[in-house]
Amino acid sequence: MSFQNMSRLDRTIRISAGLLMLGVSWAANAPEGAIWPIVFRVFALFPLVTGLLGWCPVYAILGLSTCKPKSPQRDR
């Protein structure tokens, strides 16, 4: 039984978006006490973790999946 509900493309996009958000938050020359780099780091965790796991809780709640349906095994 597989608990993944995300396709390889979906996972790649999420991991890339998460890493991009982390990179922007660390590389930006934000003024002292700016809140947006912290917000970017926190919000980057969701796409990064879901992409690495291949499972999205929002998809699970809504009953969605971007995985291809598995074809039934044929008896030979």
Side-chain angles (χ1 to χ4, degrees):
M1 177 180 272
S2 174
F3 290 101
Q4 290 190 344
N5 59 5
M6 293 179 4
S7 67
R8 184 173 295 202
L9 176 63
D10 196 357
R11 293 177 71 182
T12 303
I13 291 170
R14 286 175 183 248
I15 291 170
S16 299
L19 290 175
L20 180 68
M21 290 172 70
L22 283 175
V24 167
S25 69
W26 281 321
N29 191 8
E32 187 69 30
I35 192 81
W36 70 266
I38 298 168
V39 171
F40 258 52
R41 289 178 195 140
V42 170
F43 282 115
L45 291 177
F46 184 77
L48 190 59
V49 170
T50 57
L52 290 172
L53 293 176
W55 182 78
C56 177
V58 176
Y59 282 5
I61 290 169
L62 297 175
L64 300 174
S65 176
T66 57
C67 293
K68 291 181 182 178
K70 294 182 179 179
S71 59
Q73 296 285 334
R74 293 184 181 186
D75 294 333
R76 290 184 180 198

